[in-house]
Amino acid sequence: EEEDQVDVDEDELEIVEEEDQVDVDEDELEIVEEGGQVDVDEDELEIVEEEDQVDVDEDELEIVEEEDQVDVDEDDLSVGKNNTGSTQNKLLEVLSKYMEPEEAVSKDRENLVESEEGLVAQLLARFTPRFIKIAAGSYPIGSQENKPDEHPLEMIEINSFYLGQYPVSNDLFELFVRETGYKTEAENSGFGMVHQGRCVSKTDQHTGRTSFSINRIATSKRVEGANWRHPDGPGSSVTAKGTHPVVQVSRHDATAFASWAGKRLPSEEEWEAAAHGLEYSSFPWGNEWQANFGNFSSSYRGTTTAMDAHKSGISPLGIADLLGNVYEWTSQLSADEPDSPKKYILKGGCWNSNQITISHRQIVTNTWSNIIGFRC
């Protein structure tokens, strides 16, 4: 068992040390500052600026310093003490469900979230990764606008493949870790990059109390102890977030999971083809921006949501949670020079992103943070 795990009854509440608590009225808003919390009236919001925060673009990713990285050949990845691979481990393949797009977009889709009704079926659904068939064809890839974070529009011939309906969840990643003993790069390195949005609205699920945090700028900083189990560092947890996408995973971690599952990461072209189908559109749901169709910065959540929380944002082929929530690892780019680090493409934006399109991309070296996940 992990040293940092504690067994608790599901009905128990997590106890917060008294010195860390601040009493406020339910109608008051909390302005959160790293050194503590301040009680203010709703009409007297004070902007908080932390001394150790760094100014970053909301869509910009801070890359892990090269000296903290472990250089691994992707074709020679170990998935832990069992060293299991796609030819040996069939567990996820047995659990997987393969679907046609028509079935995926039907109104009778299973819910991932728990409720009192059909609890057993819903728990089973959480451990049943669904893969949707994307037919072979000529797909429009890129953007006519040719923005700096997009590539030019072109038609690409794509072979038929199956893509995960959702990103890989905390539930499935924990299954992988339990089966293999795998340790992520964040765990081995002892830290993760943690992004924080400008505005974060939270409601305590036990008390119903609402707090609203404001920072002058979006920030990104290195936090000791941040990893996939503790996405924002010590004190944070994925408990009760089994259907949220896993984060704090490097591309090496994502490739290791895919190898164990007998899958692979999609190319950028495959990802875009699944996002809009044979007909070009700027967004999975059409050509008009809809901020409430995904988890974006304007949602003020400042963290991930369940992967099926925004059913209106589904693509015509039934692929969900493509824009917002978490960036997703995809294909490798050629290095600029022979000895320079390998570069990769992230797609889809995250909960800290503003308006973005299907063709939006981030080019990064290997890294990990609380805004990066993946799908197979």
Side-chain angles (χ1 to χ4, degrees), residues 276-294:
H276 54 48
L278 291 168
E279 299 295 326
Y280 176 85
S281 64
S282 297
F283 314 106
W285 53 82
N287 286 304
E288 296 294 327
W289 173 251
Q290 302 287 343
N292 61 335
F293 280 14

Side-chain angles (χ1 to χ4, degrees), residues 60 75 84 98 103 123 137 145 208 267 279 309 313 347 375:
E60 188 178 79
D75 296 327
T84 52
Y98 294 87
E103 182 182 0
L123 286 173
E145 297 183 21
S267 68
E279 299 295 326
K347 298 291 289 183
R375 77 176 74 210

Side-chain angles (χ1 to χ4, degrees), residues 202-262:
K202 294 181 180 179
T203 301
D204 189 298
Q205 60 179 338
H206 303 302
T207 66
R209 178 180 296 174
T210 299
S211 65
F212 193 78
S213 308
I214 300 179
N215 293 300
R216 189 175 299 279
I217 53 175
T219 64
S220 174
K221 59 185 177 181
R222 171 172 167 158
V223 175
E224 302 298 319
N227 56 53
W228 76 271
R229 295 183 187 276
H230 309 286
D232 299 326
S236 63
S237 173
V238 295
T239 301
K241 293 183 178 181
T243 62
H244 290 223
V246 66
V247 294
Q248 293 289 3
V249 285
S250 69
R251 193 172 190 279
H252 295 154
D253 300 331
T255 306
F257 177 97
S259 175
W260 167 78

Side-chain angles (χ1 to χ4, degrees), residues 109 166 275 283-286 288 290-294 296 307-316 319-323:
R109 295 194 307 274
Y166 300 103
F283 314 106
W285 53 82
E288 296 294 327
Q290 302 287 343
N292 61 335
F293 280 14
F296 304 102
M307 300 177 298
D308 66 340
H310 299 89
K311 292 184 172 63
S312 299
I314 196 169
S315 84
I319 309 295
D321 210 30
L322 285 156
L323 293 189

Side-chain angles (χ1 to χ4, degrees), residues 25 40 46 49 54 62 102 108 112 119 124 144 157 162 185 202 211 220 238 241 261 284 309 318 327 352 374:
D25 292 335
V40 296
E46 177 181 349
E49 186 172 10
V54 235
E62 180 158 337
E102 294 76 15
D108 299 325
L112 297 180
L119 179 59
L124 180 61
Q144 292 176 323
E157 291 295 328
Y162 284 86
E185 290 198 80
K202 294 181 180 179
S211 65
S220 174
V238 295
K241 293 183 178 181
Y327 272 105
N352 204 24
F374 69 102

